[in-house]
Amino acid sequence: NAGVMQNPRHLVRRRGQEARLRCSPVKGHSHVYWYRQLPEEGLKFMVYLQKENIIDESGMPKERFSAEFPKEGPSILRIQQVVRGDSAAYFCASSSKRGKDGYTFGSGTRLTVV
Amino acid sequence: GNSVTQMEGPVTLSEEAFLTINCTYTATGYPSLFWYVQYPGEGLQLLLKATKADDKGSNKGFEATYRKETTSFHLEKGSVQVSDSAVYFCALSVTGNQFYFGTGTSLTVIP
């Protein structure tokens, strides 16, 4: 059984470009969560999605960031017009039901904005 | 609000030493509590959890007890190994929508 698959593992973007981060959840999991880890900090919640719906986006920056989890295909976290402060590790997690019992995390995408 | 405060690191121990990493929390509801471990370059792995007061979570020799009276969930292991070197995160969840993580404690075990 494959776990949560994130790609790419490393992504370098110039300021002003777009970054697209992909997450394929564990097979059979319909709940997906995105977290951001800034250097020397813990993980901060960004968004919680269930197939085709955004359930909770209280941690998403109001501008430039968006997320989707379509009926078919992976979940996508999209960052438009990236800035240096967006450099971080972005982790995706999934669960089969609302995740109060814990999630399965992916290995993350490390975004570097130059 | 909801938050987690954990012992700052880094922590360096000799192999077979006793480990304690302190974690305290504040929560608006009745949380479930977790410890996650992150090895270099990898994502977080669930180490153990407890869902109600006085529950003890345990896995791979690690233990933590949910103490409601002291709002704590300290991580312990009786004899650490080099392979335990990693960053450990304490976390809570009230609704399951999101987890609140501590800042992490880096552990290095030397032979």
Side-chain angles (χ1 to χ4, degrees), chain A residues 9 35 98-101 103 106, chain B residues 34 36 41 43-44 49 95 99:
Chain A
R9 288 294 302 271
Y35 283 76
R98 184 175 289 196
K100 195 173 178 187
D101 290 336
Y103 313 143
Chain B
F34 304 81
Y36 278 85
L44 276 68
K49 67 181 181 185
T95 64
F99 276 52

Side-chain angles (χ1 to χ4, degrees), chain A residues 3-69:
Chain A
V4 176
M5 304 301 292
Q6 290 187 248
N7 64 81
R9 288 294 302 271
H10 300 276
L11 181 61
V12 179
R13 285 287 177 264
R14 295 186 184 281
R15 281 179 294 170
Q17 291 184 319
E18 178 180 287
R20 291 171 68 87
L21 287 62
R22 288 177 291 278
C23 168
S24 296
V26 172
K27 189 175 180 181
H29 284 188
S30 59
H31 300 251
V32 165
Y33 314 80
W34 285 93
Y35 283 76
R36 177 165 62 176
Q37 184 178 32
L38 294 169
E40 309 301 324
E41 293 188 18
L43 277 71
K44 302 293 185 189
F45 170 78
M46 298 183 77
V47 62
Y48 162 35
L49 309 103
Q50 200 176 355
K51 280 288 185 181
E52 300 185 89
N53 293 305
I54 296 174
I55 308 299
D56 182 348
E57 56 181 349
S58 57
M60 286 279 269
K62 294 290 182 266
E63 297 178 350
R64 303 188 296 108
F65 284 72
S66 62
E68 62 176 12
F69 187 20

Side-chain angles (χ1 to χ4, degrees), chain A residues 35 98-103, chain B residues 1-4 25-34 50-51 66 91-100:
Chain A
Y35 283 76
R98 184 175 289 196
K100 195 173 178 187
D101 290 336
Y103 313 143
Chain B
N2 300 311
S3 66
V4 172
Y25 68 89
T26 59
T28 53
Y30 195 74
S32 294
L33 302 174
F34 304 81
T51 58
Y66 190 143
L92 71 83
S93 183
V94 176
T95 64
N97 280 14
Q98 62 175 284
F99 276 52
Y100 296 85

Side-chain angles (χ1 to χ4, degrees), chain A residues 50-100:
Chain A
Q50 200 176 355
K51 280 288 185 181
E52 300 185 89
N53 293 305
I54 296 174
I55 308 299
D56 182 348
E57 56 181 349
S58 57
M60 286 279 269
K62 294 290 182 266
E63 297 178 350
R64 303 188 296 108
F65 284 72
S66 62
E68 62 176 12
F69 187 20
K71 188 176 180 181
E72 302 291 337
S75 176
I76 305 289
L77 179 67
R78 183 180 176 207
I79 311 172
Q80 296 178 288
Q81 300 175 331
V82 296
V83 300
R84 288 232 173 97
D86 297 334
S87 295
Y90 292 83
F91 290 96
C92 172
S94 74
S95 63
S96 57
K97 54 184 179 180
R98 184 175 289 196
K100 195 173 178 187

